[in-house]
Amino acid sequence: MKLGFYPGCSLEGASREYNESVMAIAEKIGIELVSIPDWNCCGATAAHNLNKELSLSLPARNLALAEEAGLTELVVPCAACYSRFTMVQHELMHDEPLHKRVNEIIGKEYKGNLRILNVIQFIDEYVIDKLDENVKFEFNKKVACYYGCLLVRPNKVLKFDRTEDPQTMDIVMKKLGADAIDWAYKTECCGAGFSVSFTEAVARLSGNIVEDAVHRGAEAIIVACPMCHSNLDMRRKEIDKFNGKKSDIPVIYITQAIGVALGIDHKKLGLQRHFVPVNLKDFKPFVKKEIDVEKPQNMEVE
Amino acid sequence: MARIGVFICHCGENISATVDCPKVSEVAAKFPGVAFSTDYKYMCSDPGQSLVVNAIKEHKLTGIVVSACSPRMHEPTFRRACAEGGLNPYQCEMANIREHCSWVHEKGDKTDQKAIDIVRMMVEKVKRNNALLPIKVPVTKTALVIGGGVAGIQAALDIANAGHKVIMVERDPSIGGHMSQLSETFPTLDCSQCILTPRMVEVAQNPNIKLYTYAEIESVEGFVGNFNVKIRKKAKSVDETLCNGCGMCTTKCPNKKNPNEFELGMGNRPAIYVPFPQAVPNIPVIDKTQCTYYKNGKCKICEKVCQPKAIRFDQEDEIIEVAVGAIALCTGFDIKKTDFFPEYGYGKYKDIIDGLQFERLASASGPTSGEIRRPSDGQVPKKIVFVACAGSRDPAKGIEYCSKICCMYTAKHAILYKHKVHDGQAYIFYMDIRAAGKNYDEFTRRAIEEDQAQYIRGRVSRIYERDGKLIVVGADTLMNAQTVEIEADMVVLATAGVANKGAEELAQKLHVSYDQHKFFSEAHPKLKPVETNTAGIYLAGACQSPKDIPESVAAASGVAGKIACLFANSELTREPLIAMVDRQAPPMYSSCTGCFLCQPVCPYNAIEREEVKDRNGNLVRELAFINPGLCQGCGTCVAVCKSKSIDIEGYTNLQMYAEVDALLNS
């Protein structure tokens, strides 16, 4: 099984451990992730505030390259890259003149046949069914799954999971034996856009998230976005200052959690790279249990 | 030889500002067959009509073309004038040079030419018009009222009191509708059940009203004055003629843990049940989906305890056929449930309830006997938040309209809450307070001033649970859009009013139109508010759009008045513009080949087989025959007829070709 892969800048830099853990679990379940040859920046954060054509053309070139390479499905782990890719695909497929213009700019023909998956869609489609046979350890911890803003929005484009109370990661974690708590800040803003420019806002917004997870007894926050991760992990000093108390709840990627359960070496998953140390121990051997996880109906208005 | 009169109307300046009317008149005068042509400022006025009448007499006209507005507007007017002049009223044609010309074009030669062409077409058509006679049909003086809520009750009683028979069909086991679920009513705070239940009993006791509960409309055929309706009377598993309503069966039924629909799931009921103590009729039904006997084949306790021996486990649905002359649609509405709101937890928090559930909590006959206690743990909420416009006026939710009743009932809820929980505090998030109506604004002021309801102008973005409290996060738009967070014990969503379940299917069965939200459409928003565009079918209450009680009752009385007017006639006159199959002398009999392709395409089942027999009674041929009572003149059969044997009277093929010819040869 071969799927396309777009790492983007963060997976090669600040979120190396995300890349490492995605690759590690893909390898374990026998999926080859092929990077788009000669990929470029997706333009997130800067381009769509400055130049519309540029913001469309950067992702479009990547998508066209992926098509040229014969890929039909593309895994995009970074939530911002993913958002730009899906929005560009949506916009171009619904606006023919714009589509033509962008093709002109990139000097390639983007057909729009590519399926774009973020990590939780990838897990939902290719990983979840293989868990029972491959999992070695039970992830016997209380976890708070944090989705942030971009993974399941906007619903009318993605048509995946529920905007306000998504469930995909919760279901995965429950399958791994975790206690995924119901909490209030699942999709609240972490302050991603202000990660560098206005850290006070990040401290307040991410502070609320960390506080609620800790208050409800979570032992780890599970994420699937590099920005969420860096805000909740890297800005912990500011967060603790805002909350007025010290917290040691680790923030780990869903792929790392799956990797731990699959019995992959923690170093290979990059668990040692976090600012808030991950001291999760005492995982018991996995025993398959029937759990009551019904996929929620998508109830958004079309 | 045709002698046609042409009358060009200026319609004030509506036509004459764009079209050169005297010029059109002048040109029309020269058309072959036109004996008289003139123009006038208001042709529909009294002197205008006299002008038409006199011209017909003076110039011995054989037909007239009134070149003015749409035939929907004034065709009946000029047909009357035509008849007054001594002609058959169907020798009148309208040439629409207003909607089709002056209103949609700029002033100029081309516009004048278009007006001339329209007149020319109608002149050629009217030359070929036949004298037609209106069709008389009898009227069945029985009305069908669909829905037994307050609107249906009002309509049924008014019609019955006018001396006509009424058949009422209600889907639920009891009549009463949503009004029977309400605690008190705005703006007077009188008890809803106290004012409604006597009316329900009146319905049951009125000798002119036949009541079918637990019944639905299966099919409707026919036309105004002559509808044939099939009613499916669902099996109650109880013989209504024997049951005396003692309640033994409902008390002894061992299967009591079924969600109570009347209490909106906040209480339980047995598998054999009457929806509420004041139900009309007071006859229980067995819910077959829950009854132990129907599920496992064992139990039958109700049968054992029933003294009149009224339980019938083998009872089947019954189809009842009735003939009625008019139909009143009073099927009411529904509300969105709390699970419609992702931002408020998809219905997962027990203490977020909808407005109707609050009515039951506040009702003396409700699950808490009128004490305000929250569903999760039965505690009395000390801080309660009401969210108005939950779903309404929100294009993102697909509901653009205002649900109209929520502002008032939310104010009522806040008042009732304060009356029952003196140390409690009510907060109301609102967009605008819409309190138009007699004593309505005074009522909302009372909620604010006397009962200390805190109105916060802004919307609620999220509600979540934390440590047993519901955290309501909203904005106060009058305080610089500051974020407001309230730790509430209970939240009431004034959810949007929506079309009732099954509204769309019912509308299709009755051939009445409905809007994009599945509310039934009135024939005209101002001048025909209780009529549908199907003659003989009327509508009242919230099946049309969200309405409060006084409005629903007023509309229902309006419907009753309309139906009484209809029934005042011994027979009805219908337009003779219907399809006719060619008939000729023997040996041809007809150009119809008897293929009957027309039969399946007819939407009104109006096409029958007619046997043509010779003198000895031997069958010669079978021909299509169109029942003039059923045909609506849609013309579908004309289009499929291979031998061109069917014509619509007033719109014959000959007339249509003449019009097209006139246009092409201008």
Side-chain angles (χ1 to χ4, degrees):
Chain A
M1 173 111 241
K2 210 187 239 185
L3 296 176
F5 184 71
Y6 176 82
C9 60
S10 55
L11 270 78
E12 299 218 326
S15 308
R16 275 169 67 189
E17 69 276 24
Y18 195 15
N19 199 0
E20 287 163 354
S21 56
V22 172
M23 289 300 178
I25 64 167
E27 188 194 326
K28 188 90 180 172
I29 57 167
I31 290 176
E32 192 188 341
L33 294 174
V34 189
S35 281
I36 302 174
D38 192 33
W39 61 268
N40 54 267
C41 168
C42 76
T45 66
H48 54 283
N49 288 329
L50 299 171
N51 183 316
K52 168 131 185 166
E53 285 186 347
L54 179 67
S55 75
L56 294 167
S57 303
L58 287 168
R61 181 175 179 275
N62 287 318
L63 294 169
L65 283 171
E67 281 181 349
E68 275 176 17
L71 300 166
T72 53
E73 289 182 85
L74 186 66
V75 180
V76 186
C78 168
C81 303
Y82 169 72
S83 172
R84 287 313 304 149
F85 279 29
T86 45
M87 290 311 291
V88 166
Q89 188 175 46
H90 181 79
E91 230 171 301
L92 297 188
M93 289 306 112
H94 290 84
D95 188 341
E96 216 181 297
L98 192 65
H99 188 183
K100 271 202 186 130
R101 170 76 186 131
V102 168
N103 279 349
E104 257 171 48
I105 295 172
I106 61 176
K108 292 178 186 305
E109 207 205 329
Y110 169 52
K111 296 187 193 68
N113 299 326
L114 215 54
R115 271 194 74 215
I116 307 165
L117 307 172
N118 63 30
V119 153
I120 62 174
Q121 284 171 309
F122 163 68
I123 292 168
D124 188 48
E125 215 150 297
Y126 294 103
V127 181
I128 210 161
D129 295 331
K130 300 218 170 119
L131 287 180
D132 283 344
E133 55 191 275
N134 288 309
V135 169
K136 291 206 169 57
F137 298 104
E138 190 175 306
F139 203 96
N140 49 352
K141 308 284 174 224
K142 212 167 174 180
V143 296
C145 295
Y146 174 64
Y147 295 76
C149 55
L150 292 174
L151 283 179
V152 290
R153 284 197 184 96
N155 188 271
K156 68 175 176 206
V157 177
L158 309 188
K159 296 189 172 64
F160 172 71
D161 214 332
R162 312 192 295 191
T163 305
E164 300 289 350
D165 183 18
Q167 291 292 328
T168 313
M169 286 206 279
D170 294 67
I171 291 172
V172 174
M173 291 313 294
K174 282 177 190 165
K175 271 196 174 263
L176 299 179
D179 176 6
I181 61 163
D182 182 21
W183 62 312
Y185 284 84
K186 252 183 178 179
T187 58
E188 293 298 304
C189 177
C190 70
F194 297 123
S195 193
V196 179
S197 55
F198 185 22
T199 46
E200 290 89 344
V202 173
R204 176 166 59 84
L205 293 164
S206 290
N208 289 334
I209 296 167
V210 170
E211 199 275 334
D212 196 58
V214 171
H215 178 82
R216 289 171 200 259
E219 296 165 83
I221 298 175
I222 309 290
V223 297
C225 165
M227 277 84 60
C228 300
H229 189 273
S230 56
N231 279 337
L232 297 174
D233 183 55
M234 189 169 73
R235 299 287 173 212
R236 187 60 64 88
K237 214 163 79 185
E238 290 88 338
I239 286 170
D240 286 348
K241 203 173 140 201
F242 173 81
N243 284 335
K245 56 187 167 195
K246 204 161 158 40
S247 59
D248 55 5
I249 183 169
V251 185
I252 62 177
Y253 287 105
I254 179 90
T255 43
Q256 292 178 312
I258 294 172
V260 167
L262 291 173
I264 300 170
D265 177 43
H266 290 200
K267 268 233 159 96
K268 205 175 164 193
L269 296 169
L271 278 166
Q272 76 288 2
R273 297 191 194 276
H274 297 322
F275 282 80
V276 181
V278 183
N279 297 319
L280 297 173
K281 290 189 199 89
D282 308 325
F283 295 107
K284 281 188 238 138
F286 181 72
V287 189
K288 195 188 154 192
K289 274 178 287 200
E290 280 308 317
I291 48 153
D292 181 27
V293 279
E294 207 178 309
K295 252 195 164 179
Q297 221 185 325
N298 186 327
M299 290 167 67
E300 314 293 331
V301 180
E302 289 279 312
Chain B
M1 183 62 197
R3 294 178 60 79
I4 308 299
V6 177
F7 302 87
I8 316 285
C9 179
H10 293 211
C11 196
E13 287 193 335
N14 273 300
I15 296 171
S16 62
T18 322
V19 172
D20 185 347
C21 294
K23 180 175 144 197
V24 176
S25 169
E26 222 169 89
V27 176
K30 299 197 186 88
F31 292 159
V34 172
F36 176 76
S37 176
T38 188
D39 60 300
Y40 187 68
K41 204 165 177 74
Y42 290 106
M43 206 61 85
C44 59
S45 67
D46 202 37
Q49 290 189 48
S50 305
L51 193 156
V52 174
V53 174
N54 292 335
I56 293 173
K57 289 177 180 163
E58 200 176 312
H59 297 276
K60 298 192 170 49
L61 301 178
T62 58
I64 60 167
V65 172
V66 182
S67 185
C69 51
S70 158
R72 286 189 69 97
M73 190 77 196
H74 274 312
E75 192 171 57
T77 313
F78 291 108
R79 277 191 182 153
R80 273 197 303 274
C82 191
E84 214 181 305
L87 291 177
N88 180 285
Y90 296 93
Q91 299 291 7
C92 163
E93 288 294 341
M94 300 292 293
N96 183 356
I97 59 165
R98 193 178 74 174
E99 284 86 341
H100 286 179
C101 191
S102 72
W103 276 1
V104 289
H105 298 301
E106 306 269 308
K107 190 178 173 66
D109 285 345
K110 281 186 175 172
T111 304
D112 292 345
Q113 191 52 48
K114 182 173 177 184
I116 290 166
D117 285 343
I118 294 172
V119 175
R120 189 201 316 273
M121 285 164 72
M122 296 326 285
V123 167
E124 288 307 314
K125 185 186 178 199
V126 79
K127 282 183 192 173
R128 290 157 181 83
N129 274 20
N130 296 322
L132 301 175
L133 292 174
I135 300 170
K136 301 276 186 194
V137 286
V139 186
T140 309
K141 294 186 182 178
T142 301
L144 172 70
V145 175
I146 307 176
V150 66
I153 289 171
Q154 181 73 23
L157 287 173
D158 283 358
I159 299 167
N161 290 336
H164 302 294
K165 296 279 177 206
V166 177
I167 294 164
M168 180 185 267
V169 174
E170 166 58 48
R171 177 162 67 182
D172 288 335
S174 169
I175 58 170
H178 283 313
M179 190 176 164
S180 64
Q181 292 174 297
L182 307 183
S183 54
E184 270 80 32
T185 54
F186 61 78
T188 46
L189 291 187
D190 41 358
C191 154
S192 185
Q193 291 222 339
C194 312
I195 55 177
L196 181 69
T197 44
R199 307 286 279 162
M200 291 160 61
V201 175
E202 257 184 82
V203 168
Q205 290 176 347
N206 193 310
N208 275 344
I209 301 177
K210 175 71 191 154
L211 177 60
Y212 293 111
T213 52
Y214 213 47
E216 290 187 54
I217 301 300
E218 188 79 1
S219 70
V220 176
E221 280 167 14
F223 53 94
V224 55
N226 300 273
F227 292 106
N228 293 310
V229 182
K230 284 187 183 152
I231 301 167
R232 174 179 292 274
K233 202 163 161 292
K234 292 178 280 185
K236 294 182 176 177
S237 308
V238 173
D239 187 331
E240 289 167 280
T241 56
L242 295 176
C243 173
N244 59 11
C246 70
M248 229 16 204
C249 53
T250 55
T251 332
K252 296 290 180 191
C253 176
N255 183 353
K256 286 198 167 57
K257 290 268 160 106
N258 304 298
N260 188 333
E261 297 88 353
F262 187 77
E263 306 290 1
L264 297 133
M266 294 189 302
N268 292 328
R269 61 156 174 79
I272 182 166
Y273 70 104
V274 276
F276 54 103
Q278 301 83 353
V280 171
N282 184 22
I283 291 170
V285 297
I286 296 182
D287 186 335
K288 290 184 179 175
T289 60
Q290 290 154 345
C291 169
T292 318
Y293 172 71
Y294 282 105
K295 284 206 300 214
N296 307 333
K298 278 186 201 138
C299 184
K300 286 200 176 184
I301 288 177
C302 50
E303 193 181 37
K304 282 181 206 109
V305 299
C306 180
Q307 285 210 321
K309 302 282 170 238
I311 304 289
R312 295 281 178 277
F313 288 111
D314 57 353
Q315 200 178 56
E316 282 180 7
D317 289 7
E318 198 183 332
I319 303 288
I320 296 162
E321 289 189 40
V322 294
V324 297
I327 299 174
L329 270 172
C330 311
T331 52
F333 72 112
D334 201 356
I335 56 165
K336 279 282 178 208
K337 302 291 183 291
T338 51
D339 63 5
F340 180 66
F341 300 93
E343 65 276 33
Y344 307 151
Y346 289 101
K348 72 181 168 191
Y349 302 122
K350 274 188 173 173
D351 295 329
I352 301 181
I353 61 173
D354 61 48
L356 213 45
Q357 288 175 312
F358 188 84
E359 294 286 345
R360 294 313 301 152
L361 290 183
S363 170
S365 66
T368 55
S369 304
E371 286 180 43
I372 306 295
R373 292 185 176 278
R374 61 185 202 172
S376 64
D377 55 6
Q379 293 293 310
V380 176
K382 297 291 180 195
K383 254 189 205 178
I384 186 164
V385 171
F386 295 93
V387 181
C389 296
S392 308
R393 300 177 67 193
D394 190 348
K397 290 253 187 288
I399 303 172
E400 302 90 348
Y401 56 85
C402 163
S403 292
K404 199 165 184 183
I405 54 174
C406 332
C407 283
M408 292 307 297
Y409 81 59
T410 298
K412 178 188 75 182
H413 287 172
I415 292 174
L416 291 177
Y417 171 72
K418 193 68 181 178
H419 290 186
K420 288 167 189 276
V421 186
H422 302 309
D423 58 342
Q425 177 62 52
Y427 299 88
I428 300 174
F429 282 91
Y430 72 104
M431 285 162 81
D432 300 290
I433 302 177
R434 296 190 163 172
K438 195 172 180 180
N439 290 325
Y440 280 17
D441 202 55
E442 296 89 320
F443 187 73
T444 57
R445 298 302 319 167
R446 178 177 164 188
I448 299 166
E449 286 158 14
E450 287 177 27
D451 294 306
Q452 289 96 39
Q454 275 255 23
Y455 272 73
I456 304 165
R457 189 179 183 281
R459 307 196 66 184
V460 174
S461 61
R462 180 174 287 278
I463 304 173
Y464 60 88
E465 187 268 338
R466 184 163 154 139
D467 299 336
K469 297 272 183 192
L470 290 164
I471 315 294
V472 181
V473 187
D476 187 340
T477 56
L478 300 181
M479 290 285 281
N480 203 18
Q482 265 180 32
T483 305
V484 181
E485 270 195 34
I486 297 173
E487 283 189 12
D489 300 312
M490 188 161 105
V491 176
V492 183
L493 305 179
T495 57
V498 292
N500 216 337
K501 289 178 286 294
E504 195 174 12
E505 292 84 338
L506 186 64
Q508 286 168 358
K509 276 180 194 164
L510 273 79
H511 297 290
V512 302
S513 39
Y514 50 92
D515 63 20
Q516 72 267 40
H517 303 294
K518 317 280 190 286
F519 286 116
F520 302 143
S521 302
E522 62 284 337
H524 189 284
K526 294 166 196 86
L527 302 178
K528 290 184 174 177
V530 297
E531 290 96 324
T532 67
N533 47 16
T534 303
I537 302 183
Y538 305 88
L539 48 84
C543 62
Q544 181 184 10
S545 63
K547 280 193 171 64
D548 61 16
I549 295 167
E551 274 186 310
S552 299
V553 171
S557 284
V559 165
K562 287 279 169 193
I563 290 178
C565 287
L566 182 72
F567 288 176
N569 300 292
S570 54
E571 55 184 11
L572 299 176
T573 306
R574 288 186 65 222
E575 287 255 48
L577 306 178
I578 57 162
M580 298 288 269
V581 183
D582 174 64
R583 285 291 183 274
Q584 301 174 24
M588 271 295 285
Y589 298 102
S590 168
S591 60
C592 169
T593 58
C595 71
F596 291 103
L597 276 178
C598 50
Q599 222 171 14
V601 301
C602 176
Y604 306 100
N605 293 328
I607 298 177
E608 297 165 6
R609 282 170 184 261
E610 187 184 29
E611 296 183 343
V612 178
K613 290 176 181 167
D614 66 12
R615 286 181 190 179
N616 305 323
N618 299 321
L619 181 68
V620 182
R621 288 177 64 186
E622 273 198 316
L623 302 175
F625 170 74
I626 292 162
N627 183 331
L630 296 176
C631 177
Q632 299 289 313
C634 71
T636 314
C637 55
V638 179
V640 298
C641 181
K642 292 191 295 185
S643 60
K644 301 267 177 289
S645 301
I646 314 181
D647 255 333
I648 296 276
E649 292 285 13
Y651 296 91
T652 61
N653 285 330
L654 193 68
Q655 287 171 306
M656 295 297 109
Y657 290 138
E659 279 190 46
V660 176
D661 242 17
L663 191 62
L664 296 178
N665 295 329
S666 63

